[in-house]
Amino acid sequence: MQKYLVNTAFITSAVILIFSPQESEKVQQSTNSVMEMTGATETGRIPARLVETIDGDTIKVMVMGKIETVRYLLIDTPESKKPGLCVQPYAREAAIRNEQLVKGGILSLEFEQGNTKDSYGRLLAYVYVDGQSVQEKLLLEGLARVAYIINPPYKYLQEYQSDERMAKEDKRMIWSRPGYVTSRGFDGCGM
């Protein structure tokens, strides 16, 4: 979908340079119609309606007429609902904060080309509320780590790594426990 919109925008720009003002206006109107049909904004974000918050990095939404589970791109929060695993430290805090954020305004999703679904069939997306990144807030507050860099490049990877560094330097939440955050997740149960 996003690839289509990007391609459409590129073609529109080329047409504007080649054709007369009247023809260019018709092409722009056509592009606007496509964006209206999909609900996409100029940023490539698609509006969504929250159905439920699953945990710190997963939600269910109504998007394009379907209920979808959305896993946040490039972040990982401690586990609270994984079968066979304890409720990890800061998992509840991450889930509560995520719910506060996604219930607080207008929700939209942005997709990364080539990284749209995970192995569980969940949509992978950047999640925004009123234009503000939920991932960035969770990282800055020390409730998430940067993870799952599977098919680079990613648009926001450097920003997210910078946010993570700030939280780590300030020893916020997950970063307050030495050895708790590892390259493969979070180590340990209970406080």
Side-chain angles (χ1 to χ4, degrees):
M1 172 60 80
Q2 183 178 2
K3 183 177 180 181
Y4 175 78
L5 292 173
V6 170
N7 289 339
T8 302
F10 178 74
I11 291 167
T12 300
S13 300
V15 168
I16 289 170
L17 293 173
I18 296 170
F19 294 115
S20 70
Q22 294 82 11
E23 290 170 324
S24 296
E25 188 174 319
K26 287 178 187 174
V27 171
Q28 186 61 51
Q29 288 171 350
S30 174
T31 300
N32 291 343
S33 295
V34 168
M35 290 177 74
E36 285 174 21
M37 285 177 3
T38 62
T41 64
E42 288 182 22
T43 61
R45 295 181 191 153
I46 297 172
R49 184 176 49 82
L50 182 68
V51 173
E52 98 182 88
T53 305
I54 305 296
D55 59 20
D57 54 29
T58 311
I59 56 177
K60 278 194 183 196
V61 299
M62 175 68 76
V63 60
M64 294 187 288
K66 273 179 71 177
I67 293 179
E68 295 275 4
T69 301
V70 176
R71 176 69 172 74
Y72 296 4
L73 259 171
L74 294 180
I75 71 164
D76 184 33
T77 61
E79 297 293 342
S80 61
K81 296 183 176 182
K82 190 171 186 177
L85 190 65
C86 65
V87 175
Q88 295 179 314
Y90 304 106
R92 287 187 183 106
E93 291 88 341
I96 289 167
R97 183 62 176 135
N98 184 35
E99 185 167 29
Q100 290 169 342
L101 292 169
V102 295
K103 281 189 170 182
I106 298 170
L107 191 66
S108 61
L109 308 175
E110 182 179 352
F111 300 98
E112 185 76 65
Q113 188 174 350
N115 293 290
T116 56
K117 290 221 176 191
D118 69 5
S119 59
Y120 299 104
R122 301 176 296 189
L123 288 179
L124 295 171
Y126 299 110
V127 180
Y128 296 87
V129 173
D130 295 335
Q132 300 296 308
S133 170
V134 174
Q135 278 107 313
E136 280 198 272
K137 287 197 182 283
L138 293 170
L139 286 163
L140 283 167
E141 293 175 15
L143 292 166
R145 70 184 184 101
V146 173
Y148 305 113
I149 304 166
I150 297 167
N151 190 14
Y154 291 94
K155 292 181 228 178
Y156 305 115
L157 180 58
Q158 289 181 343
E159 288 173 51
Y160 289 5
Q161 288 171 328
S162 176
D163 296 335
E164 180 187 72
R165 248 187 320 278
M166 286 192 284
K168 190 174 184 178
E169 287 169 6
D170 291 344
K171 295 182 172 42
R172 295 181 199 141
M173 305 294 265
I174 63 173
W175 302 106
S176 67
R177 287 183 71 170
Y180 177 55
V181 181
T182 72
S183 61
R184 44 179 213 295
F186 303 92
D187 191 25
C189 297
M191 295 299 270

